[in-house]
Amino acid sequence: MKKIIMQIGKIKLSTFIATGAIIGGISLLFAFVPAPDNKTWTAPATADKETNPMASNAATIDAGKSVYKSKCIDCHGPKGKGDGPKSADLDKNPQDFTKAEFQKQSDGSLFWKIAEGRKPMPSFKGELSKEQRWQVVSYIRTLGKK
Ligand code: HEC
């Protein structure tokens, strides 16, 4: 009996330490992420290097298109030009997705920005699954093609 209690005590201590380490790690991470109001919006290098694990094909692009239509089109507009019906009310214009300058960003950067958001762009980490976010990245790529 005593042994069991001691073991429980040990487990609790280790979870305690692990939780502390995780929380500490996360806050450290936030300390290094640049303040979210500088002009150019740059994804961290680790996010920038991430590649799309899903194939970009008709099916994934189509899935991305429906995500875009329900969650993004109001601000970003039907062609990604940043001219959606809601865009006039925003204090910042969304970037033009058709521009080469925008399209030269990595898939990983776009994926990260969609996850994190930056005011007035909302964060979609909780609302969209990773799959949906990669799919919408694939769809955004088609907007840059003439
Ligand atoms: C409420 C309006 C709004 C909605 C909804 C919205 N965005 Fe945005 N988005 C913005 C604004 C404004 C910016 C510019 C933010 C900045 O530069 O600080 C932006 C920026 C971005 C960027 C980065 C542009 C760049 O040049 O790096 C991407 C990518 C993006 N949005 C994708 C999406 C996707 C995908 C969705 C839907 C899942 C979405 N957004 C929904 C307003 C919105």
Side-chain angles (χ1 to χ4, degrees):
M1 190 60 189
K2 212 174 174 187
K3 209 174 168 191
I4 293 173
I5 292 172
M6 265 175 68
Q7 268 179 353
I8 291 172
K10 259 189 206 159
I11 291 168
K12 278 199 180 144
L13 185 67
S14 56
T15 5
F16 182 69
I17 291 170
T19 318
I22 290 166
I23 293 171
I26 290 171
S27 15
L28 209 68
L29 213 76
F30 274 110
F32 286 103
V33 173
D37 254 329
N38 25 352
K39 256 188 154 183
T40 46
W41 188 11
T42 320
T46 43
D48 184 53
K49 284 193 201 94
E50 222 180 313
T51 52
N52 191 341
M54 297 175 83
S56 179
N57 55 36
T60 51
I61 289 170
D62 213 49
K65 187 177 184 174
S66 43
V67 170
Y68 186 86
K69 275 188 164 169
S70 65
K71 307 277 182 198
C72 324
I73 206 166
D74 283 352
C75 294
H76 288 283
K79 297 249 172 353
K81 285 185 165 291
D83 57 354
K86 231 178 168 178
S87 65
D89 303 334
L90 302 173
D91 54 16
K92 207 191 272 167
N93 286 334
Q95 294 82 350
D96 186 343
F97 291 167
T98 66
K99 289 261 159 65
E101 203 190 328
F102 168 81
Q103 290 288 341
K104 75 176 184 216
Q105 297 184 72
S106 71
D107 284 351
S109 279
L110 299 182
F111 180 77
W112 181 85
K113 289 179 182 181
I114 297 164
E116 300 303 319
R118 182 167 89 162
K119 269 190 175 166
M121 156 103 181
S123 151
F124 284 95
K125 233 183 318 203
E127 211 174 323
L128 298 174
S129 67
K130 281 191 171 188
E131 284 75 19
Q132 287 176 309
R133 279 186 269 135
W134 285 121
Q135 287 163 342
V136 81
V137 167
S138 292
Y139 176 67
I140 286 176
R141 289 302 185 202
T142 67
L143 298 171
K145 287 174 190 147
K146 296 272 147 64

